[in-house]
Amino acid sequence: MSGFRKMFSVHPTEELKELYWFTLLYSFAASLIMIFEPIFFYSEGFSLSAIAIYYAAHYLLYLILLPWGAMFAGKFGFERSLAVSMPLFVVYFLMLASLSRMPGLFYVSWIMLTVFKTFFWPAYH
């Protein structure tokens, strides 16, 4: 039992509880939305190959930018990193909402998603 207490906080701080709740609620909400994202793109008239390229480009750029996100979180703290990421996520969804009027945003929105994920990476926490 003593090994368990060393590895896990029996009495987490209030900040840590808030972070856990935030991560739980955010992850649940984002997963509900993102599971239907490829279907949304397809219904907006984008081909399956364009959607595949969208996600391939997103994850390639994410792989490249991830170290800078870690440096930012290390220098400014995790809370600031989260604070930077949330407005980017809102802008990303606004871009998706505008796709029917401006289809060109499809080719830019993956960059916004990548920058958001760079600052909000649950493994930091």
Side-chain angles (χ1 to χ4, degrees):
M1 187 69 163
S2 65
F4 176 80
R5 290 181 186 208
K6 286 181 184 176
M7 291 174 54
F8 299 101
S9 178
V10 178
H11 302 288
T13 64
E14 200 60 37
E15 259 184 4
L16 192 57
K17 286 180 187 177
E18 288 175 8
L19 180 65
Y20 288 156
W21 274 109
F22 172 80
T23 302
L24 175 82
L25 293 174
Y26 160 77
S27 297
F28 180 70
S31 295
L32 286 176
I33 293 169
M34 299 256 184
I35 197 169
F36 295 106
E37 197 175 56
I39 298 168
F40 170 73
F41 289 146
Y42 189 74
S43 69
E44 288 294 318
F46 297 102
S47 68
L48 292 178
S49 61
I51 296 168
I53 291 170
Y54 175 94
Y55 285 109
H58 159 65
Y59 283 109
L60 180 65
L61 185 61
Y62 183 47
L63 180 69
I64 294 168
L65 292 181
L66 203 53
W68 283 286
M71 286 188 277
F72 181 89
K75 185 174 182 177
F76 297 106
F78 300 131
E79 288 185 10
R80 285 199 180 108
S81 186
L82 285 172
V84 168
S85 71
M86 284 300 110
L88 297 172
F89 201 44
V90 170
V91 170
Y92 172 69
F93 279 115
L94 291 174
M95 292 173 92
L96 291 184
S98 302
L99 273 181
S100 61
R101 291 183 301 260
M102 295 180 278
L105 287 177
F106 176 79
Y107 303 102
V108 179
S109 62
W110 65 273
I111 297 170
M112 185 60 64
L113 178 62
T114 304
V115 174
F116 154 72
K117 281 188 175 182
T118 300
F119 288 109
F120 182 83
W121 185 44
Y124 288 149
H125 314 293

